[in-house]
Amino acid sequence: MSEQKSSRIGGFYKLSREERLDAVKDMAGLAQEDIDRLLSKESLPFDLADRLVENAVSSFGVPLGIATNLTVDERDVLVPMATEESSVIAAASNAARQCRDSGGFHTSLSATEMIAQIQILGLSDPWAGRAKILERKAEIEEICNGCDPMLVKLGGGFRDLEVRVLPSASGAMVITHIIVDTKDAMGANAVNTMAERLAPTLASWTGGRHHLRILSNLADRRLARARAVWPKEAIGGTEIVDAMLDAAEFAEVDPYRAATHNKGIMNGISAVALATGNDTRAIEAGAHAYAASSDAYRPLSHYEKTADGDLAGSIELPLSLGLVGGATKVHPMAQVCLKILGVQNVVEFSGIVAAVGLAQNFAALKALATVGIQKGHMTLHAQNVAIAAGAVGEEIAEVAAELARRGEVRGDVAETVVAEIRSKK
Ligand code: NAD
């Protein structure tokens, strides 16, 4: 077995860019060409951008940082995160540090299955139509698998069938779900192709008219879970554990709070999804639909006190992530980010992403339940405000420090401070 390298890189934030990259190269076993890609001014060459989207004119830069300290399923991992929001990467790293000694994160994925829906309309006997479709599962399997021999060869393909009859204002509709194991692909194109191929056949069997044929982003056959224990000593004592439990309980009983609680989770999850070329909107849609799939909109994570008085956190949400397909294999930066993660399959990948979501959520809850969220946010935010007010070079830190000192991190104040500094030169 190869020697396990540590993701605990103390003072990573104090290192220069080159030193940080050296540490990542060493930990993740990157090649020099990967480092060159990370150092390159052009993270996405224009010819690729032009192939990825229509009417391309440029590409849009977002900061890419590395979360340290994560141990996921006994493996230390550095996590690339692409986000424009300050404090997110530091918060994830901090939360991961505080549960390292108790074993880090443990994860699972329910399956790698996706659902595609086929809508059949115009049936006077929708329940009979449902029964006719369910009778022909073997033929449906053959049609679906015939669309993607590559996926079948890899051990994926059609798995199951569900048919629902939904009442609607325009009459009952028969909704067929094909459930497909898409393995290491997110699978939207794969299942959409199957749904489109199958739909006319379902219409002819039932005598109805086929209409929509598209995957569901409520990917509840692909539920990722993570859990961790934060020892009370590591987070500042019983009082903080209790304060965090009260904060978490707020989200359990109030959708206004739950929306913000879940947004904090997605700060981490969307950042890893973006860094790896995944479809952030599909993941966001799935997460929020899952949060709302019981009687009310609920938090995606839960917190409890262990018998020893420590804080146990857990998270469960759909994660339609891919290691192949979409932009994952096309975007050169996504490829480097996947190398940094060093994952072998989408099960491992999903576990890490769920762990980042939980870490992010823990950090936000802790800040909210103690010092408040602004303290951590303000240092970098003050710099952004300074830049927006026209500060350049060394002025940026000077203006930010002055805004923090005055306790007024605002654009108008920043403009005044910039003018004051320049008048003194
Ligand atoms: P894809 O079609 O590009 O790649 C998936 C295919 O890769 C599989 O069908 C299989 O044939 C092949 N493959 C090779 N190695 C594989 C492996 N190890 N595991 C599984 N398959 C393997 O991509 P996709 O994942 O089907 O679709 C993802 C794209 O679809 C994303 O770009 C997404 O944005 C887009 N999309 C999303 C939606 C939505 O979320 N509502 C709708 C339409 C399209």
Side-chain angles (χ1 to χ4, degrees):
M1 257 180 68
S2 64
E3 186 202 341
Q4 159 89 267
K5 292 193 172 167
S6 175
S7 63
R8 173 91 190 97
I9 309 174
F12 189 75
Y13 68 100
K14 292 186 202 150
L15 303 178
S16 68
R17 183 185 186 190
E18 285 69 21
E19 288 168 334
R20 289 176 194 164
L21 284 172
D22 272 348
V24 175
K25 185 181 181 198
D26 179 50
M27 166 73 189
L30 297 186
Q32 188 53 42
E33 61 177 11
D34 301 321
I35 300 298
D36 293 344
R37 168 60 59 195
L38 291 167
L39 284 168
S40 156
K41 286 200 172 70
E42 196 181 46
S43 59
L44 181 64
F46 182 73
D47 60 330
L48 271 179
D50 204 26
R51 267 186 270 150
L52 278 170
V53 302
E54 309 73 32
N55 302 352
V57 292
S58 187
S59 55
F60 186 91
V62 174
L64 177 73
I66 302 289
T68 55
N69 303 332
L70 275 96
T71 304
V72 182
D73 297 322
E74 320 287 335
R75 186 172 80 87
D76 269 26
V77 62
L78 294 177
V79 182
M81 299 175 74
T83 178
E84 88 299 344
E85 188 171 346
S86 46
S87 302
V88 166
I89 299 167
S93 307
N94 247 319
R97 183 177 47 76
Q98 292 170 57
C99 66
R100 272 183 78 77
D101 291 344
S102 56
F105 299 88
H106 297 274
T107 77
S108 65
L109 186 70
S110 63
T112 48
E113 294 170 356
M114 294 296 283
I115 299 168
Q117 303 188 289
I118 301 160
Q119 181 190 26
I120 303 284
L121 299 173
L123 289 179
S124 58
D125 53 353
W127 288 100
R130 172 180 182 271
K132 286 177 197 167
I133 293 171
L134 287 169
E135 280 159 26
R136 304 180 80 156
K137 185 171 166 184
E139 288 161 81
I140 291 172
E141 175 166 6
E142 204 180 320
I143 293 170
C144 291
N145 285 345
C147 295
D148 203 334
M150 164 83 136
L151 185 61
V152 175
K153 205 170 143 208
L154 290 163
F158 177 89
R159 287 289 178 271
D160 207 356
L161 185 67
E162 280 174 351
V163 188
R164 300 150 71 217
V165 177
L166 300 184
S168 85
S170 55
M173 47 180 89
V174 175
I175 306 299
T176 300
H177 285 186
I178 50 168
I179 294 144
V180 180
D181 187 343
T182 59
K183 293 287 171 196
D184 287 340
M186 178 262 193
N189 287 324
V191 301
N192 289 346
T193 306
M194 293 178 189
E196 290 197 359
R197 178 84 59 88
L198 186 61
T201 308
L202 298 189
S204 76
W205 287 343
T206 56
R209 173 169 64 84
H210 67 80
H211 199 39
L212 302 198
R213 300 142 292 162
I214 179 84
L215 92 161
S216 170
N217 284 116
L218 176 48
D220 61 1
R221 301 278 183 145
R222 216 174 168 113
L223 293 177
R225 297 136 186 162
R227 66 180 171 86
V229 170
W230 282 272
K232 54 183 178 300
E233 301 78 19
I235 60 177
T238 300
E239 255 178 50
I240 296 183
V241 171
D242 291 341
M244 290 181 68
L245 286 169
D246 284 342
E249 193 57 23
F250 185 6
E252 297 283 352
V253 297
D254 180 16
Y256 285 91
R257 171 60 208 147
T260 323
H261 179 102
N262 289 343
K263 189 275 180 184
I265 290 172
M266 301 315 287
N267 275 343
I269 289 181
S270 296
V272 190
L274 186 60
T276 53
N278 272 279
D279 185 335
T280 53
R281 290 82 53 211
I283 291 164
E284 296 271 354
H288 296 295
Y290 189 65
S293 62
S294 62
D295 54 335
Y297 184 90
R298 301 261 180 224
L300 294 163
S301 63
H302 304 282
Y303 290 86
E304 300 151 310
K305 201 188 258 193
T306 67
D308 296 331
D310 299 329
L311 187 70
S314 56
I315 189 171
E316 179 179 81
L317 80 166
L319 281 184
S320 51
L321 290 162
L323 291 177
V324 297
T328 53
K329 286 269 187 202
V330 179
H331 199 302
M333 204 57 99
Q335 280 296 293
V336 177
C337 289
L338 284 170
K339 273 196 190 173
I340 295 172
L341 285 167
V343 288
Q344 303 303 314
N345 54 52
V346 92
V347 178
E348 211 185 317
F349 182 28
S350 303
I352 293 171
V353 176
V356 172
L358 183 60
Q360 209 69 59
N361 182 230
F362 166 91
L365 269 189
K366 187 175 174 196
L368 285 168
T370 55
V371 293
I373 206 81
Q374 287 306 78
K375 187 169 181 281
H377 261 269
M378 275 309 157
T379 318
L380 281 176
H381 179 59
Q383 293 190 25
N384 294 341
V385 172
I387 294 167
V392 289
E394 288 173 359
E395 287 173 353
I396 298 169
E398 207 177 330
V399 174
E402 181 58 17
L403 295 181
R405 195 191 63 76
R406 293 186 191 187
E408 289 181 313
V409 185
R410 295 203 319 265
D412 56 330
V413 183
E415 281 172 22
T416 310
V417 175
V418 171
E420 285 170 7
I421 288 173
R422 288 184 185 166
S423 70
K424 283 185 208 148
K425 281 181 185 163

